Amino acid sequence: MIDARQMPTTAGYAEAAETLAGQYESVSFADVHRDTLHLLPTRPATVLDVGAGSGRDAAALAALGHRVVAVEPTAELRALGRKIHADQDIEWVDDALPGLPVLRGRGDGPERRFELILLTAVWMHLDAGQRTAAMGALADLLAAEGQVVLSLRHGPVPAGRRMFDVSADETVRLGRDHGLRRVHRSERPDPHGRPGVSWSHLVLRRGAAGR
């Protein structure tokens, strides 16, 4: 079992779970991911949502017919996600970056590989060493020609949270070190309208010919 309260990457999330879940659910999956929707699988696929929070994205993908595993290390958010999206078939897992030991401990068959791995507002919580280890873990779980879709937050760090100023360029380089190539990059303002906050959206694909 992952003890999220002992993890600096999830600092502040348990205490604010109700407020955060409301914030997450106040914007739609389609709006948050509008820049990358055209790259998501159009047929039923295996999807891993890492740092799933309230389950907004996991539920939207499950509603489209995908088989979704939602990883969330904060017990309070997992409980809220199960309640809010009880109508969707989502497998909730207590696991965490950088290593994702629970998922990676399931064996080495094709059933543990994912065609889409989603990380929404997660990557910037990891320090440099954790990001290196995490990219290796994600690549290990990614199916052939699978892709990682992630967003990076830039700007002021909320009180009580741990975030790092992680660039899109660094993330692309790190993905390349693990056999993943950039097929999309875009920048956009914060969907919640928070002053000084902006986002980078990246799609990294195994075996792709991007740069």
Side-chain angles (χ1 to χ4, degrees):
M1 179 179 293
I2 303 295
D3 187 356
R5 292 183 182 273
Q6 301 301 315
M7 297 170 55
T9 53
T10 59
Y13 280 84
E15 299 81 356
E18 291 274 0
T19 299
L20 290 170
Q23 177 183 307
Y24 300 155
E25 296 293 326
S26 71
V27 290
S28 70
F29 170 83
D31 186 33
V32 171
H33 299 282
R34 67 188 186 202
D35 292 354
T36 57
L37 288 176
H38 64 290
L39 293 169
L40 300 186
T42 56
R43 58 173 180 76
T46 53
V47 175
L48 174 62
D49 185 6
V50 181
S54 66
R56 176 201 62 209
D57 296 350
L61 290 163
L64 292 173
H66 302 301
R67 183 175 67 81
V68 181
V69 175
V71 163
E72 176 50 57
T74 302
E76 291 81 356
L77 284 172
R78 280 200 315 277
L80 287 167
R82 286 191 174 104
K83 179 180 179 181
I84 294 168
H85 299 292
D87 59 329
Q88 295 298 334
D89 184 14
I90 301 168
E91 179 187 356
W92 286 90
V93 177
D94 179 10
D95 204 358
L97 290 170
L100 295 171
V102 176
L103 288 180
R104 295 174 73 198
R106 289 183 170 184
D108 198 32
E111 66 281 354
R112 80 186 269 270
R113 309 284 177 176
F114 296 90
E115 294 160 277
L116 172 65
I117 300 179
L118 189 69
L119 299 98
T120 305
V122 170
W123 199 248
M124 67 281 175
H125 290 298
L126 306 174
D127 64 30
Q130 290 173 324
R131 293 194 297 273
T132 298
M135 191 65 80
L138 296 174
D140 186 46
L141 290 166
L142 198 61
E145 299 185 6
Q147 55 191 17
V148 177
V149 176
L150 61 86
S151 60
L152 298 169
R153 173 178 165 144
H154 311 291
V157 178
R161 309 276 181 79
R162 186 185 87 153
M163 296 182 187
F164 298 91
D165 185 13
V166 183
S167 73
D169 287 340
E170 176 207 289
T171 308
V172 169
R173 288 194 300 269
L174 190 56
R176 188 182 301 124
D177 290 343
H178 292 276
L180 310 180
R181 297 291 180 266
R182 177 182 65 82
V183 295
H184 175 86
R185 175 178 174 176
S186 59
E187 315 290 335
R188 61 180 292 196
D190 181 51
H192 297 282
R194 290 168 291 198
V197 176
S198 63
W199 296 84
S200 297
H201 292 262
L202 295 171
V203 179
L204 309 177
R205 185 177 296 163
R206 183 187 295 283
R211 293 182 296 162

